[in-house]
Amino acid sequence: MDGLLHIWWVWLCAALAFALVELVVPSSIFLGFALGALAMTVVVGLGLLSNTSALLALFAALSLLAWIVLKRVFKNQSSGARVVTRDINEN
């Protein structure tokens, strides 16, 4: 397992897997993981880090950063559902 984290296409496959899970599961958290894994593809491809712990920590940080950016970009997008504050049967 340790050696697999140092291969760039493993991170690319992980990014694609997280993106597919994002399509199936009704949440928006897996897209951040997909973008983090995609960024890790570049990091591992360029050989910037060789420590496994550092790779996993950077993946976690990049995923969190991507999730925060996505939340800020799409915060104004609503589902279009109406919020009811008053019951029509009450006087």
Side-chain angles (χ1 to χ4, degrees):
M1 171 83 180
D2 185 37
L4 288 177
L5 294 178
H6 298 283
I7 303 173
W8 66 270
W9 58 265
V10 172
W11 287 103
L12 185 62
C13 291
L16 291 174
F18 280 126
L20 287 175
V21 169
E22 178 66 37
L23 291 175
V24 175
V25 177
S27 68
S28 61
I29 192 165
F30 291 104
L31 190 57
F33 287 123
L35 292 175
L38 190 62
M40 288 303 296
T41 302
V42 175
V43 170
V44 171
L46 294 176
L48 299 176
L49 288 175
S50 62
N51 187 358
T52 303
S53 299
L55 284 174
L56 292 175
L58 184 61
F59 169 65
L62 289 173
S63 297
L64 179 64
L65 180 68
W67 183 78
I68 290 171
V69 168
L70 288 172
K71 277 295 201 188
R72 288 186 185 223
V73 168
F74 294 114
K75 75 176 178 180
N76 293 333
Q77 181 182 6
S78 68
S79 64
R82 249 183 31 183
V83 177
V84 178
T85 58
R86 188 173 84 70
D87 189 6
I88 61 170
N89 294 324
E90 293 178 359
N91 289 333

